[in-house]
Amino acid sequence: MAKLKAASLADANFSQQDEAVREYRQQEESFLAVNDAPVNNGSVYKVYKLTDTTKKGRYHMECVDDVWNPETKKMERIRLLNGISSLSLEDQKHLDKAYVEKNRRTLIFDARILRVPDHDTAAIEFLERSNANVNNVNKKGTRKLTFFEWNPQRQAELERSKRLAKVEAIKAATMASSEDMRKHANYLGISFIDELGFPKTDDALRNDYELYAEAQPNKFMQSVGSKEVEIAYIVKRAVLDNKIDLQSKKGSAYWANDGGFICKIPSGTNLKANDYLVEYAMLPTDESQQFLNQLKKLRS
């Protein structure tokens, strides 16, 4: 079962700042790339950019790749050559080795930017099918350096969707009841203790809750109001109130005061005992259902 991994508030704030800096760099560089692109015989240029904002100098991209062909449902090798419109090696079998070696193309990202005129259809096709293109829905594997096509319209849509996501998340955080906020804050890993070791007031906790929603709106909205959040809160309270015993026998969970065995806590899992109990409670088995029903009785 997939588990939504919680991030700390500090991580969320750092991520928000880092994202803002990255987006500013992307927009500034893209503006310069579009405006500096030369116009030759009315050609329109496509602009591609490396996703790594720290990359400097020139990056030479070798134009050979093994890509997925959605029509044949097979992997195939493509290669970009001067004077050859087809990328398929099958269509290049008639070429002699000397011609291939002399005409192999390399695309150069200068200061993270590559400009390709629209008439260079072979290069554009290669870039669209490349596994290094983060927007390629058919990409396979991973690449050390990746790139994307700068599309002002799409970028505007993405920026707007991000703003709307933040607005929606902040609104949800603001409107949540104190009880729902505490349950969700617990799940997200937001600390209930301030930097001096004192319990946070509801106002202080809600401030951090709203900051998390602003910094990580997608993660926030994925879990808000979910069954998993409710169960995680009940499990935590049961452990803190010593109604679940995780100490008497390592690797096992029991109900306190000889209340009986609950389940084994697998040693090979990366989950903490509390998190494993949450997942256990959500399994579609009779034992898990009995555990969940007993948990609910503790809160009634």
Side-chain angles (χ1 to χ4, degrees):
M1 180 180 301
K3 175 74 175 175
L4 294 171
K5 187 176 181 181
S8 68
L9 184 62
D11 290 339
N13 288 335
F14 176 80
S15 176
Q16 182 184 33
Q17 295 170 3
D18 184 62
E19 179 72 10
V21 172
R22 186 185 67 80
E23 289 179 0
Y24 174 79
R25 287 178 179 172
Q26 296 281 25
Q27 292 172 3
E28 182 180 41
E29 291 168 356
S30 297
F31 176 80
L32 293 175
V34 172
N35 283 274
D36 289 346
V39 178
N40 294 326
N41 301 322
S43 294
V44 176
Y45 282 75
K46 285 186 175 248
V47 177
Y48 299 87
K49 300 179 61 182
L50 296 178
T51 54
D52 184 357
T53 58
T54 64
K55 188 70 176 176
K56 297 180 180 179
R58 290 188 169 191
Y59 169 63
H60 295 252
M61 179 179 179
E62 295 297 329
C63 296
V64 179
D65 204 351
D66 293 314
V67 301
W68 176 256
N69 187 327
E71 295 182 0
T72 62
K73 306 297 183 183
K74 296 179 180 179
M75 296 293 291
E76 66 179 28
R77 177 159 294 188
I78 59 174
R79 180 172 58 190
L80 182 62
L81 300 176
N82 286 317
I84 305 297
S85 59
S86 175
L87 302 178
S88 174
L89 258 64
E90 186 67 23
D91 296 335
Q92 299 176 8
K93 290 196 305 184
H94 65 286
L95 302 174
D96 61 58
K97 185 176 180 180
Y99 180 91
V100 171
E101 289 300 319
K102 185 177 180 180
N103 289 280
R104 290 179 61 173
R105 292 185 60 182
T106 299
L107 298 176
I108 302 174
F109 289 81
D110 191 358
R112 298 183 51 248
I113 294 168
L114 168 69
R115 304 179 186 91
V116 181
D118 59 355
H119 60 76
D120 193 352
T121 55
I124 291 173
E125 181 185 352
F126 182 88
L127 291 164
E128 289 176 349
R129 298 181 64 186
S130 170
N131 290 308
N133 186 340
V134 296
N135 295 320
N136 177 10
V137 296
N138 295 311
K139 64 180 179 292
K140 302 293 182 182
T142 58
R143 293 293 184 274
K144 185 176 180 180
L145 286 176
T146 56
F147 66 88
F148 64 97
E149 180 189 349
W150 174 255
N151 184 318
Q153 177 62 30
R154 184 171 62 209
Q155 189 67 20
E157 292 172 354
L158 288 173
E159 293 302 319
R160 186 169 186 273
S161 67
K162 288 179 182 179
R163 288 196 301 274
L164 291 176
K166 287 184 179 181
V167 170
E168 182 183 7
I170 293 171
K171 181 179 179 181
T174 302
M175 300 298 293
S177 67
S178 293
E179 182 180 9
D180 288 342
M181 172 189 67
R182 287 183 168 274
K183 291 177 181 179
H184 195 202
N186 163 68
Y187 178 83
L188 294 173
I190 298 174
S191 176
F192 284 53
I193 306 298
D194 67 19
E195 63 272 15
L196 296 179
F198 292 100
K200 291 178 182 175
T201 64
D202 268 10
D203 286 342
L205 183 61
R206 189 174 296 277
N207 184 54
D208 286 347
Y209 187 56
E210 291 172 350
L211 285 173
Y212 189 102
E214 181 181 7
Q216 300 286 347
N218 293 331
K219 287 185 178 180
F220 183 93
M221 294 305 294
Q222 283 173 357
S223 56
V224 65
S226 70
K227 179 181 178 181
E228 195 169 0
V229 168
E230 178 73 22
I231 295 174
Y233 187 75
I234 298 174
V235 167
K236 181 178 181 179
R237 292 309 315 170
V239 173
L240 291 177
D241 294 342
N242 296 315
K243 294 178 180 178
I244 291 179
D245 180 6
L246 298 172
Q247 304 300 324
S248 295
K249 190 173 181 181
K250 187 176 180 180
S252 297
Y254 290 85
W255 293 112
N257 302 318
D258 298 323
F261 174 75
I262 298 175
C263 68
K264 288 278 189 182
I265 309 294
S267 58
T269 179
N270 292 324
L271 297 175
K272 295 180 180 179
N274 285 23
D275 294 333
Y276 180 79
L277 288 176
V278 173
E279 294 207 349
Y280 178 74
M282 297 180 69
L283 292 174
T285 64
D286 291 340
E287 294 81 4
S288 295
Q289 190 61 50
Q290 291 173 7
F291 173 56
L292 179 57
N293 290 337
Q294 187 63 29
L295 281 173
K296 292 178 177 178
K297 288 180 182 179
L298 297 178
R299 301 300 299 169
S300 59

